[in-house]
Amino acid sequence: MNGFGKKMIKVVAIALVFGLVAGAAFQGSYYVVGKLTGNEKVSADATETSTGNKGEISGTAVSTATTVSDVSDIVDNVMPSIVAVTNISYSEYRNFFGGTQTYESESAGSGIIISQDDENLYIATNNHVVSGAESLTITFCDEKAVPATVKGTDASVDLAVVAVSLKDVEDSTKEAIKVATVGDSSKLTVGESAVVIGNALGYGQSVTTGVISALEREVQLQDESGKTIKNKLLQTDAAVNPGNSGGALLNMKGEVVGIVSAKYSDTSVEGMGYAIPISSAQSIIEGLITRQEVSEGDASYFGIAGVDVTSDVSGQYDIPSGVYVTKVAANSGAGKAGIKKGDVITKFDGKEISSMEEISDMMQYISAGTKVKVTVAQSRNGYKETELEVTLTNKK
């Protein structure tokens, strides 16, 4: 081989060595830079882990999930559908001299504009937000405030609907507000991002973010009467504070997937807020909106007098929470069905009740002659519960 051929072989060999070294160096530097910048890319083969030998447990796949840090577009779109709810109520207390005095208290909560018809806007919120209200005020996103009335409540699931007459809403406010878009809470998955909007601490609307941290979490809470209610709720680590109750839990589409209900309060616990799943709440809300009060001529009569049995009284006297029957009217529906003095009514028309007020409220929408299911803890049977069918009579 001549000198020129030997030189060419050396050149080719050197080029091959340089290519291999440069390639390895380039890949190594690419990997290091990727690690430092957080932009490392994983090849398609690396997204799936090999199962290895037969029977070997496979590793987890590389996730393609992203974290959403900017929710401003969601907030801009949804904020007009969120309102502040101010509840003015009155309470009596015994003074030092043995007399009674009345004082006024004010509480703040949130609500969601859920629908409207030709006459009213309907706002979904929590029952405990509007409980005992002597007057209610709704403040919209443009800071305009209007009076409101309670359309209906369901204490057993802590839901309520408030109605605002469109006649009381200024045209400029109608242009500013929106009706919320409802999503499907049954399609939520643990770990997906979530947003909470509400009237936190009564200071005005604020926004917090987090994730859906649990589904169908069974939670025991006390209602305003002290009765313990148990529901399956959504759990989120988005901050929930007093005043957020009745506000919106949103998915990343800006759809309402839950109605904020409570924060778990304990010195050793952080980041546990709860919301009522919208898929289970929606039918209840629609029922509260569409129900109509019966006319005076069709008004129904149950036929009992009773006192409320709170959780404190229940524990002290070892009787169920509900309504303790103190009197049964002769020939009334209650008397004919077998309800006796000393019994405790725990459910009326299929819903758990904790006060005479709740029974009276429900009967406004039930006409005489209607048959309702009533669950009674009978004193003569050691307060064992039994379900009775009561035909409501005419109020006259």
Side-chain angles (χ1 to χ4, degrees):
M1 181 177 293
N2 57 28
F4 177 76
K6 290 180 179 180
K7 288 181 180 181
M8 286 299 295
I9 290 173
K10 288 181 180 180
V11 169
V12 171
I14 291 171
L16 288 172
V17 171
F18 176 78
L20 291 171
V21 172
F26 178 77
Q27 289 293 332
S29 62
Y30 183 79
Y31 176 78
V32 171
V33 171
K35 280 289 186 182
L36 291 173
T37 61
N39 292 323
E40 60 174 315
K41 295 186 181 296
V42 182
S43 68
D45 291 339
T47 60
E48 296 183 4
T49 55
S50 172
T51 56
N53 298 326
K54 186 176 180 180
E56 183 179 342
I57 298 174
S58 63
T60 58
V62 175
S63 174
T64 59
T66 58
T67 300
V68 179
S69 57
D70 185 354
V71 296
S72 58
D73 58 334
I74 294 174
V75 174
D76 288 343
N77 187 44
V78 179
M79 190 73 83
S81 69
I82 309 301
V83 302
V85 183
T86 303
N87 177 349
I88 303 295
S89 60
Y90 297 94
S91 301
E92 289 188 352
Y93 69 97
R94 189 171 297 278
N95 60 28
F96 179 77
F97 301 101
T100 59
Q101 287 183 293
T102 301
Y103 69 94
E104 180 183 286
S105 62
E106 179 179 308
S107 60
S110 307
I112 307 164
I113 303 174
I114 206 75
S115 68
Q116 73 171 95
D117 56 25
D118 294 338
E119 298 180 353
N120 298 299
L121 283 176
Y122 297 105
I123 295 162
T125 185
N126 293 140
N127 175 63
H128 75 263
V129 169
V130 301
S131 177
E134 291 292 331
S135 68
L136 283 175
T137 302
I138 298 298
T139 304
F140 295 107
C141 61
D142 63 352
E143 302 300 324
K144 298 292 176 59
V146 297
T149 57
V150 177
K151 173 65 175 173
T153 65
D154 189 336
S156 66
V157 288
D158 196 22
L159 286 172
V161 172
V162 173
V164 171
S165 174
L166 287 171
K167 294 178 182 178
D168 295 329
V169 183
E170 295 180 9
D171 290 340
S172 60
T173 299
K174 291 177 184 176
E175 293 176 0
I177 62 178
K178 295 180 181 180
V179 175
T181 299
V182 174
D184 185 353
S185 58
S186 67
K187 293 182 179 179
L188 291 174
T189 57
V190 173
E192 70 174 277
S193 297
V195 178
V196 168
I197 303 180
N199 182 26
L201 304 178
Y203 295 154
Q205 305 300 353
S206 64
V207 180
T208 56
T209 60
V211 298
I212 302 296
S213 48
L215 304 173
E216 295 189 337
R217 181 72 79 203
E218 194 169 85
V219 180
Q220 288 188 352
L221 300 170
Q222 282 192 334
D223 64 14
E224 68 284 351
S225 69
K227 182 178 180 180
T228 299
I229 57 176
K230 185 186 295 184
N231 287 313
K232 290 184 177 180
L233 304 176
L234 300 171
Q235 182 181 311
T236 179
D237 69 342
V240 172
N241 293 290
N244 274 127
S245 293
L249 178 69
L250 308 163
N251 62 17
M252 289 299 99
K253 295 179 181 178
E255 298 170 331
V256 176
V257 292
I259 298 174
V260 176
S261 182
K263 175 185 178 179
Y264 188 91
S265 181
D266 192 289
T267 55
S268 62
V269 175
E270 283 293 335
M272 290 178 67
Y274 297 100
I276 304 165
I278 197 63
S279 295
S280 59
Q282 194 167 9
S283 61
I284 298 171
I285 291 169
E286 290 172 355
L288 295 175
I289 291 172
T290 57
R291 68 180 187 172
Q292 299 294 325
E293 288 189 28
V294 298
S295 64
E296 187 175 347
D298 292 330
S300 58
Y301 179 62
F302 186 25
I304 70 153
V307 295
D308 304 344
V309 181
T310 65
S311 58
D312 290 340
V313 174
S314 173
Q316 184 176 354
Y317 293 98
D318 195 26
I319 61 175
S321 298
V323 172
Y324 181 87
V325 179
T326 58
K327 184 178 180 180
V328 181
N331 298 319
S332 66
K336 291 178 180 179
I339 297 174
K340 305 289 185 182
K341 179 182 176 180
D343 290 346
V344 177
I345 298 171
T346 58
K347 289 184 181 179
F348 185 87
D349 198 22
K351 296 187 174 92
E352 290 187 5
I353 55 98
S354 57
S355 67
M356 278 295 297
E357 182 183 358
E358 289 179 22
I359 295 177
S360 299
D361 179 67
M362 293 168 67
M363 288 183 62
Q364 295 179 67
Y365 307 95
I366 304 174
S367 58
T370 302
K371 294 180 179 181
V372 296
K373 301 288 186 182
V374 179
T375 301
V376 179
Q378 297 176 322
S379 58
R380 55 194 176 277
N381 292 328
Y383 290 109
K384 181 180 179 181
E385 287 191 336
T386 185
E387 186 177 81
L388 303 174
E389 185 176 77
V390 178
T391 301
L392 301 177
T393 57
N394 195 281
K395 192 173 184 178
K396 293 182 179 180

